[in-house]
Amino acid sequence: MTAFLEVRDLKKQYPGGVRAVDGVSFDLQQGQTLGVVGESGCGKSTLARLLLRLIEPTFGTVRLNGEDLLALKSAQLRERRRDMQIVFQDPYASLDPRMSIGEAIAEPLDIHNIGNRADRRAQVLKWLDRVGLPRTAAERFPHEFSGGQRQRIGIARALALRPKLLILDEPVSALDVSIQSQVLNLLVDLKSEFGLTYIFISHDLSVVEHIADQVAVMYLGVIVEEGPSQAVFNAPQHPYTQALISAVPHPDPRMKRQRMILGGDPPNPANVPTGCRFHPRCFKAQAICASMPPPAQAMLDHPAWCHFPGP
Amino acid sequence: MRDFLLRIQNLCLGFQTEAGYLRVLDNVSLDLTPGETLGLVGESGCGKSVTAQSILRLLPCPPSRVEEGHIWFDDKDILKLSQSELQDLRGNRIGMIFQEPMTSLNPTMTIGNQLAEPLRLHRKAGAGEARAAALDVLKRVGIGNAEQRLNQYPHELSGGLRQRVMIAMALICSPQMLIADEPTTALDVTIQAQILDLLRTLQKELGISILLITHDLGVVAETCHRVAVMYAGRIVETGTAVQVLTDPQHPYTRGLLAASPRYAKKGERMPAIAGQVPPPGKRGQGCPFAERCPLVMDICATMPPLQGDEHKAACWATKT
């Protein structure tokens, strides 16, 4: 069975030796949510943009339903983008301040010449209803809305073309927790209603744990651990995943737990360490880690790229 | 009777805007004892940062205006201090750490000069003395290669290091109190863990009082002795961290905890708090949470008082 989305050895290098994404491969089945987690500079947002060719990859393949996206000419690519849309973190920066909400939601329909004016108007109202905004919002402007409402607008705009794949780049990170849960619920509902496939990018592990079926943990341009969400969160095999999970503060002060505090700073993609990229910060590192990139080791049911995986 | 380092009493504060006067803090009272960490939590716009800034009188006046209330620090009312007395307070007796270290450090000054500045201003320290103190405080906040760092500029440091420099700067005059406004919000989670660990250690070693402002209940649980929860400009619940986080009395606190993705079951809907925080100017006479509250009753049209002994909540439905 071929996967709905098949990514192989995807790379993006910038001048100056910056390896932002450095060989990422994964498969995603239709209807699944892949959570991509990692810290600043790990390449997760670059990955999102590479998949849509908002940034051109340096190397690798991306196949959507078997079709090689990187081989498409620009007119074909534009057509294909109907199937794949993105929602950005900051809904204010990604909405045109001088365009009314109705125009913003209708814009993708205009670009793809879908329907006449009346159809588009009907679509706008339908999507406003669906994402939980009043119909009067169509005549108003982005500055009149709160962060949570703007993110609903961003979602409506992304879904107006009825894409199959939706990439969500930190969609709830700028929102307060009570609003965050409203938007997460909306995303879950929309996914089942429209049979969507999600790639959900976030630095927030608890949000990813809640929403993702599959998880990929990124560090410095590569995936270091990947697998079903429950397996990765309940039995993390890579020391980086373990440290990441243990670093999330838990809102129960009585919980005493073993905290792993990683030393050092997040590394620099312009200066990738030899061997395992994580070894300068790793508490398990041994001599081999500095010299040999680790192979994928399948522990339990999911792979981790580590010489010494396991608890 | 506990002795207080900081005591805010019934503070009401607002801003003059084009749309008229808007009250943003409504009857805020807080206590901080020596050596204690108090968490001030709430969502955007609840007034937590304004509260912090009012302690150091950092809000320009006008447009801001204190309608009533007192801010006692060491038996003096900060609201009545003269400019020169205020200067003695800021950075000297009360240190402050801001959320975004890049925008609060001066990009044109070396780390060494920035660290030395408060000492030279407040203590009239000479160059050699200031440099020695700067080295010492950099080591205390866990910065290696301190000698070399003194000559670097903020852009040469990572986010985590910049935040350590901010903390070092806030500590260099050995203040009695530290105000930390979302000190880890802009940082990655592994770096956040380092900084929280540092704050805990510093507090134990120096016995300093910390007012920690955050939106993250997890951060509160890991660092604070006591908590005050703010909503729409009011304190709605206060108590020890264990009391508030494990036995929340106010429906807003309960909602916030339940909405934390940590507690939500996989595949189930997240418990959300419907609606949004009412903006200043649209907060009526009653409980500001009433329109979003699952327990709302007729009496909620009247403002509930903050009641209880050590664990207090401002809710008619709660008997504490």
Side-chain angles (χ1 to χ4, degrees), chain A residues 5-11 24-27 47 50-51 53 57-64 66-71:
Chain A
L5 181 69
E6 188 186 287
V7 177
R8 290 293 174 271
D9 207 16
L10 196 61
K11 292 185 182 177
V24 164
S25 306
F26 63 84
D27 285 342
L47 175 65
L50 292 177
L51 296 175
R53 279 181 69 188
T58 316
F59 187 84
T61 54
V62 178
R63 289 177 186 278
L64 185 70
E67 181 180 33
D68 185 356
L69 296 181
L70 303 187

Side-chain angles (χ1 to χ4, degrees), chain A residues 142-219:
Chain A
H143 73 268
E144 299 176 65
F145 294 89
S146 68
Q149 290 172 323
R150 283 184 207 139
Q151 202 54 292
R152 289 174 192 268
I153 296 164
I155 292 168
R157 180 174 149 93
L159 289 182
L161 289 170
R162 296 293 313 274
K164 299 188 180 85
L165 174 68
L166 191 62
I167 298 183
L168 300 139
D169 188 4
E170 301 270 13
V172 297
S173 305
L175 307 178
D176 276 317
V177 60
S178 72
I179 306 300
Q180 178 175 305
S181 48
Q182 294 173 2
V183 173
L184 287 174
N185 283 340
L186 175 66
L187 287 172
V188 170
D189 292 346
L190 291 169
K191 184 184 158 200
S192 59
E193 184 173 340
F194 297 104
L196 294 161
T197 305
Y198 285 166
I199 294 182
F200 190 100
I201 291 167
S202 180
H203 70 283
D204 187 330
L205 282 98
S206 20
V207 168
V208 169
E209 182 175 11
H210 179 73
I211 202 161
D213 305 302
Q214 299 285 321
V215 176
V217 182
M218 284 187 76
Y219 189 80

Side-chain angles (χ1 to χ4, degrees), chain A residues 67-186:
Chain A
E67 181 180 33
D68 185 356
L69 296 181
L70 303 187
L72 297 179
K73 299 218 168 36
S74 64
Q76 297 168 307
L77 177 65
R78 175 169 283 205
E79 183 58 26
R80 192 50 58 229
R81 287 226 177 97
R82 284 180 66 165
D83 292 337
M84 34 184 213
Q85 290 286 311
I86 184 165
V87 174
F88 295 99
Q89 168 171 1
D90 182 345
Y92 196 56
S94 46
L95 290 170
D96 183 336
R98 280 175 291 191
M99 208 182 241
S100 74
I101 301 311
E103 288 167 339
I105 296 175
E107 192 183 30
L109 300 169
D110 292 343
I111 289 171
H112 288 274
N113 273 318
I114 296 170
N116 57 31
R117 277 181 76 89
D119 295 337
R120 287 178 213 156
R121 175 79 192 163
Q123 283 287 314
V124 166
L125 297 180
K126 185 192 105 179
W127 282 110
L128 285 174
D129 287 345
R130 189 57 200 85
V131 298
L133 289 171
R135 292 182 161 212
T136 51
E139 267 65 56
R140 288 157 62 193
F141 289 85
H143 73 268
E144 299 176 65
F145 294 89
S146 68
Q149 290 172 323
R150 283 184 207 139
Q151 202 54 292
R152 289 174 192 268
I153 296 164
I155 292 168
R157 180 174 149 93
L159 289 182
L161 289 170
R162 296 293 313 274
K164 299 188 180 85
L165 174 68
L166 191 62
I167 298 183
L168 300 139
D169 188 4
E170 301 270 13
V172 297
S173 305
L175 307 178
D176 276 317
V177 60
S178 72
I179 306 300
Q180 178 175 305
S181 48
Q182 294 173 2
V183 173
L184 287 174
N185 283 340
L186 175 66

Side-chain angles (χ1 to χ4, degrees), chain B residues 95-117:
Chain B
M96 183 145 183
I97 310 169
F98 298 93
Q99 171 172 353
E100 197 19 272
M102 195 55 200
T103 52
S104 16
L105 291 173
N106 185 336
T108 67
M109 273 174 95
T110 62
I111 302 302
N113 284 339
Q114 295 193 53
L115 281 172
E117 199 177 32

